[in-house]
Amino acid sequence: MLLKEYRICMPLTVEEYRIGQLYMISKHSHEQSERGEGVEVVQNEPYEDPNYGPGQFTEKRIYLNNKLPSWARAVVPKIFYVTEKAWNYYPYTITGNYSCLLCSFLPKFSIHVETKYEDNKGINDNIFDTEPRDEETEVCFIDIAYDEIPERYYKESEDPRYFKSEKTTRGLLKEGWRDTQDPIMCSYKLVTVKFEVWGLQTRVEQFVHKVVRDVLLLGHRQAFAWVDEWIDMTIEEVREYERATQEATNKKLGTFPPAISISETPLPACARSGPSSAPSTPLSTEAPDFLSVPKDRPRKKSAPETLTLPDPARRDSAFRLPSLFSWGPSTPQPE
């Protein structure tokens, strides 16, 4: 398990970012989705928590096989997605990701993200200290203006060093901007990555944290760069934009659009299979039940205890995945 705390400052207020976050997530998901790859929204509905009050529950499927590195694609089927479930009680949110592979012998993988927002420049060292931890958490500051972003994500129009908002006059951020910027807020994100398989755990957990860092940097840059598009929106207007964009994104993916409910009437807790209180019942780092091997089923001696990846330097490697990955008689094996 690898735990890190990320702190991302923005030239916004927490109240402003409530709108900006919803707008950015919807627009970004739509832009990044292509047929068969991207983000499909399964559920988006009001949710009432006994401790945190009214919020929003969202379930998404993130199809990302082609975005994985070659060594990861070698051990996952062609059809691969991650399920994301999020409980948003702004300015507090919980997000959990679970790999959805229909092969019980695969390693257990999970991501848990706890988020809090405050109007400061990232100076609260005790924001998540509600529970004792086994070890000190690494704190990583992300600078939306001066941290390096992968070249494939870079757009000059989204670079806070060169962008200036016409409506708020904020922008053109200079070195050390966090010390002088007003207003300023900070997104505090406590991210836990867990991948239990000997020989791959450290490599995978470090890789996932690198991806998380890049995604957080890109998302917060875009939220600010698009500020003139959303700054005048009300919560009702951004929810309508969210609904329309999600339906368009699902169609773009080639999936049948689900019934997306963004009404003001919260569904009762018993209407869903989720926990009655997401924050007070932390997301489990264990795989879902349907991925677990039944306890009364005898273990086959041939079942692999570890995963051995092919040598990428050997082009003549006869590596083939186990038959559990067979999705049909005519489906080609991953290469």
Side-chain angles (χ1 to χ4, degrees), residues 94-108:
I94 286 181
T95 304
N97 302 73
Y98 300 94
S99 59
C100 286
L101 297 173
L102 303 179
C103 304
S104 60
F105 80 90
L106 286 174
K108 297 174 182 179

Side-chain angles (χ1 to χ4, degrees), residues 258-269:
I260 300 176
S261 169
I262 310 184
S263 65
E264 295 301 321
T265 305
L267 295 179

Side-chain angles (χ1 to χ4, degrees), residues 277-294:
S277 172
S280 60
T281 308
L283 296 177
S284 171
T285 56
E286 299 298 320
D289 292 339
F290 70 88
L291 294 182
S292 302
V293 178

Side-chain angles (χ1 to χ4, degrees), residues 251-323:
K251 290 179 181 179
K252 190 177 180 182
L253 277 170
T255 59
F256 186 82
I260 300 176
S261 169
I262 310 184
S263 65
E264 295 301 321
T265 305
L267 295 179
C270 60
R272 288 206 330 275
S273 58
S276 60
S277 172
S280 60
T281 308
L283 296 177
S284 171
T285 56
E286 299 298 320
D289 292 339
F290 70 88
L291 294 182
S292 302
V293 178
K295 295 181 179 180
D296 56 350
R297 194 178 84 180
R299 178 182 291 274
K300 296 182 179 179
K301 294 183 180 180
S302 59
E305 296 295 329
T306 60
L307 296 179
T308 303
L309 300 182
D311 183 354
R314 293 184 56 192
R315 295 182 176 273
D316 60 342
S317 174
F319 173 80
R320 288 293 184 270
L321 293 176
S323 59

